[in-house]
Amino acid sequence: MRLRRRLRFDIWLCILLSYLVSLGTASVTASISAATYADYAAAHTALPGEPGSMADEDVPRAESVEDLLTMDTFTVVSEGISYRNEGAGYYEDMYLYNLRLPSGERVAAWINLENVQNQGDIYSGAAILPVGQVVWADLEENASFMDQITAGYPLDRTDFYVDMTGNAAKYSEEYRTENYTLWVQGITLLICFPLFHGLGSHFGVFPAFFPSRRRE
């Protein structure tokens, strides 16, 4: 016979009560997150001319690594959405793309996709990437990242990446709300379960987890 282990009824009941309370705290958290998202998004918006902002006609067009290193800020004109399909990987908390420059050289780039300007066909037309700047970093220190981003094409430079996101990095409203509610639900469960069981044990409704020993 298969041995079955069953949780005691008091444990199931406390879990259920804690879960019901967590639904309430999650609902309140979701409402607060939705109400504050506009301010959060505004605080994570790149100002004109800053990395991550939309590149206008006055922003220099970089075509090579040499251009990247001699310009304070710049943009790159890519063919269609090729910049998204030729390798990428997570470096620290950033998702960097394997970006092919007009010269044919390849560098890692952190791109704010919201401010990419597509001209003509999305696949073969011109994509004007956001304003960017060079950030020095030893990318080869992260071997896993290098394996991901160079799966299709090698990088010509691994001592820097191009920051085309800057202060514009932010979570979507759905992800932000879901993340907050999961954390709040977890904390609520951790607090309420021992609280409910402790109260039940105190009033003699539930058996104690650790029965006290009386000295004779």
Side-chain angles (χ1 to χ4, degrees):
M1 295 179 63
R2 181 178 297 178
L3 180 63
R4 295 183 178 179
R5 295 183 178 181
R6 297 181 179 178
L7 290 176
R8 294 180 341 210
F9 172 75
D10 56 310
I11 296 178
W12 279 114
L13 181 59
C14 290
I15 291 176
L16 176 61
L17 292 174
S18 300
Y19 175 70
L20 292 176
V21 174
S22 75
L23 292 180
T25 57
S27 178
V28 172
T29 302
S31 298
I32 294 174
S33 179
T36 59
Y37 186 79
D39 292 336
Y40 164 79
H44 291 79
T45 300
L47 297 176
E50 292 184 347
S53 64
M54 195 170 293
D56 58 27
E57 295 180 355
D58 295 330
V59 178
R61 270 55 174 165
E63 297 192 354
S64 64
V65 168
E66 182 180 359
D67 289 343
L68 300 181
L69 299 180
T70 55
M71 297 175 177
D72 292 330
T73 57
F74 47 79
T75 185
V76 173
V77 180
S78 176
E79 181 180 354
I81 58 172
S82 61
Y83 63 91
R84 298 183 61 177
N85 298 323
E86 297 181 345
Y90 279 101
Y91 178 75
E92 296 180 352
D93 59 345
M94 299 172 291
Y95 193 63
L96 305 186
Y97 292 96
N98 188 324
L99 174 63
R100 180 183 182 276
L101 301 174
S103 64
E105 297 168 296
R106 291 182 175 275
V107 295
W110 187 27
I111 303 172
N112 177 17
L113 301 180
E114 291 184 355
N115 284 339
V116 174
Q117 303 171 73
N118 294 303
Q119 297 181 340
D121 184 78
I122 189 173
Y123 297 103
S124 60
I128 303 174
L129 303 184
V131 176
Q133 67 180 9
V134 167
V135 176
W136 296 100
D138 186 359
L139 303 181
E140 293 187 355
E141 287 184 342
N142 190 327
S144 176
F145 161 73
M146 289 299 298
D147 289 341
Q148 295 174 52
I149 198 169
T150 61
Y153 304 93
L155 296 177
D156 288 280
R157 294 289 293 264
T158 58
D159 55 341
F160 69 83
Y161 66 88
V162 177
D163 180 4
M164 291 182 165
T165 296
N167 189 51
K170 59 179 175 289
Y171 297 121
S172 67
E173 182 173 358
E174 294 76 12
Y175 181 87
R176 180 174 181 260
T177 299
E178 181 181 1
N179 190 47
Y180 281 163
T181 54
L182 287 176
W183 272 102
V184 169
Q185 278 193 289
I187 293 172
T188 302
L189 289 170
L190 290 175
I191 293 175
C192 287
F193 176 80
L195 179 62
F196 284 139
H197 201 279
L199 288 173
S201 299
H202 178 74
F203 290 106
V205 179
F206 303 145
F209 273 126
F210 305 104
S212 60
R213 294 181 179 178
R214 296 181 179 179
R215 295 182 179 180
E216 294 182 357

